[in-house]
């Protein structure tokens, strides 16, 4: 029997081929757009790409956790808006950014727990459960500042403190790279470790593969479901801070469609919306590819409508490919 090399073992990691394909696609698309417009390959654009993709990466991590269990979270975009509005409102009222962040994260986590209980305990279809909390969170985003966008956050906490918040989450740089990317990278590394190296991660995959078998194996399905929705809520809160820092204020409509951006980042990177497979490495590549497509199409003058069509086709193709590969895998096993 031929001994497998480390590279073959590496490729056999479930979801690794899809992740590497996404990375290859990212590189190819980047080079193609660079050939069409050399400005795409400039250092300035590259740094802006890293900053812009960070929002998609963080949201993708949260949505990927949920999708690996075979569920979905439609409340993500509204939680982003709720986070941006709540944190900005608190700061305009003079609450220090640290406390505004802690209060906002706590509020978002409450919604995450609610999502987990509705789906894990009461067995509501995740589409319906999170559709309900999506409207609730967006409603909170609207009423938290009396149905209007906030003033500049510096008006409440002072110019120096307000600028520090914006520097940390959006405008500042460390080692020449925007802090937004470092924030995203830390979050990615943390949740990558949890998913790939801990018992909780194994339970997440087990539920997505076969929830009944996981339950019979001793997996606490309710607790694990709550955990993935907590991750999703936390990631949404962090993106809300980034958007608030970018705008310097809270916008009631912040985060619109971000739940779909999360799905796109995960699916493009090989995370199966049917559950049980996918790597966060793929989500990283998916977020990067999504941003390069958006940026490249914009820089070559493509209309916004065309941008959405191209990205939509890619997402649909990725899901179709996942379905086909799963069917093929079942056929091979049955032989």
């Amino acid at each position: 029997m031929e001994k497998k090399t480390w590279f073959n073992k590496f490729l056999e990691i479930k979801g690794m081929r899809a992740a590497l394909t996404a990375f290859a696609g990212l590189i190819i698309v980047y080079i193609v757009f660079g050939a069409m417009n050399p400005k795409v390959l400039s250092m300035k654009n590259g740094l802006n790409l890293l900053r812009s993709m960070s929002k998609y990466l963080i949201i993708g991590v949260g949505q990927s956790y949920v999708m690996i269990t075979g569920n979905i979270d439609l409340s993500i975009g509204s939680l982003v808006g709720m986070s941006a509005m709540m944190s900005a409102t608190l700061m305009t009222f003079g609450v220090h950014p640290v406390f505004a962040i802690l209060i906002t994260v706590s509020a978002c986590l409450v919604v995450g727990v609610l999502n987990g209980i509705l789906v894990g305990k009461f067995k509501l279809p995740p589409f319906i459960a999170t559709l309900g909390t999506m409207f609730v969170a967006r409603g909170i985003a609207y009423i938290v500042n009396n149905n209007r966008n906030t003033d500049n956050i510096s008006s409440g906490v002072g110019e120096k403190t307000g600028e520090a918040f914006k520097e940390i989450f959006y405008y500042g740089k460390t080692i020449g790279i925007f802090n937004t990317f470092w924030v995203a990278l830390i979050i990615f590394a943390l949740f990558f470790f949890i998913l790939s190296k801990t018992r909780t991660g194994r339970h997440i995959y087990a539920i997505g593969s076969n929830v009944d078998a996981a339950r019979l194996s001793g997996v606490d399905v309710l607790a694990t479901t709550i955990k993935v929705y907590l991750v999703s809520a936390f990631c949404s809160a962090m993106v809300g801070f980034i958007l608030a820092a970018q705008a310097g204020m809270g916008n009631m409509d912040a985060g619109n469609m971000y739940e779909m951006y999360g799905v796109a980042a995960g699916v493009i990177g090989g995370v199966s919306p049917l559950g049980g497979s996918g790597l966060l490495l793929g989500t990283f590549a998916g977020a990067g590819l999504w941003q390069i497509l958006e940026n490249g199409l914009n820089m070559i003058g493509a209309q916004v409508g065309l941008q959405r069509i191209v990205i939509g086709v890619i997402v649909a193709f990725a899901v179709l490919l996942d379905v086909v590969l799963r069917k093929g895998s079942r056929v091979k096993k049955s032989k």
Side-chain angles (χ1 to χ4, degrees), residues 210-231:
N210 190 318
V211 66
D212 293 325
R215 185 180 289 109
L216 292 172
S217 299
V219 175
D220 189 333
V221 175
L222 173 59
T224 305
T225 302
I226 290 174
K227 287 176 183 177
V228 298
Y229 278 107
L230 281 172
V231 171

Side-chain angles (χ1 to χ4, degrees), residues 90-297:
L90 287 169
M91 283 185 275
T92 58
F93 288 167
V95 177
H96 192 278
V98 171
F99 295 109
I101 288 170
L102 291 175
I103 293 169
T104 301
V105 169
S106 298
C108 290
L109 292 181
V110 168
V111 179
V113 171
L114 179 59
N115 282 334
I117 291 174
L118 290 174
V119 175
K121 183 177 178 62
F122 294 104
K123 312 302 179 188
L124 265 66
F127 184 91
I128 300 301
T130 59
L131 181 66
T133 53
M134 176 185 79
F135 285 112
V136 171
R138 184 61 66 182
I140 293 173
Y142 271 75
I143 67 174
V144 72
N145 196 45
N146 198 26
N147 291 297
R148 63 185 181 86
N149 297 333
T150 73
D151 296 328
N152 192 298
I153 58 177
S154 297
S155 65
V157 296
E159 190 69 27
K160 185 177 180 180
T161 304
E163 289 302 314
F165 174 81
K166 290 186 278 187
E167 288 283 311
I168 290 171
F169 283 101
Y170 196 76
Y171 292 102
K173 288 182 179 180
T174 301
I175 319 178
I177 299 175
F178 286 108
N179 291 333
T180 314
F181 179 73
W182 293 119
V183 170
L185 193 61
I186 291 169
I187 292 172
F188 170 81
L190 171 64
F191 290 120
F192 175 84
F193 176 81
I194 292 173
L195 191 61
S196 60
K197 301 296 182 180
T198 69
R199 180 182 297 180
T200 295
R202 292 192 293 272
H203 289 178
I204 290 170
Y205 281 107
I207 289 174
S209 297
N210 190 318
V211 66
D212 293 325
R215 185 180 289 109
L216 292 172
S217 299
V219 175
D220 189 333
V221 175
L222 173 59
T224 305
T225 302
I226 290 174
K227 287 176 183 177
V228 298
Y229 278 107
L230 281 172
V231 171
S232 180
F234 174 79
C235 290
S236 300
M238 297 306 294
V239 174
F241 301 146
I242 291 172
L243 295 185
Q246 180 181 3
M249 57 179 284
N251 187 315
M252 293 184 294
D253 293 320
N256 274 339
M257 290 297 294
Y258 269 58
E259 61 278 357
M260 295 298 104
Y261 297 161
V263 171
V267 168
I268 290 172
V271 176
S272 174
L274 303 177
S277 67
L279 298 174
L280 288 192
L281 279 175
T283 302
F284 191 103
L289 179 55
W290 170 281
Q291 184 55 50
I292 288 170
L293 281 168
E294 192 174 73
N295 175 262
L297 288 168

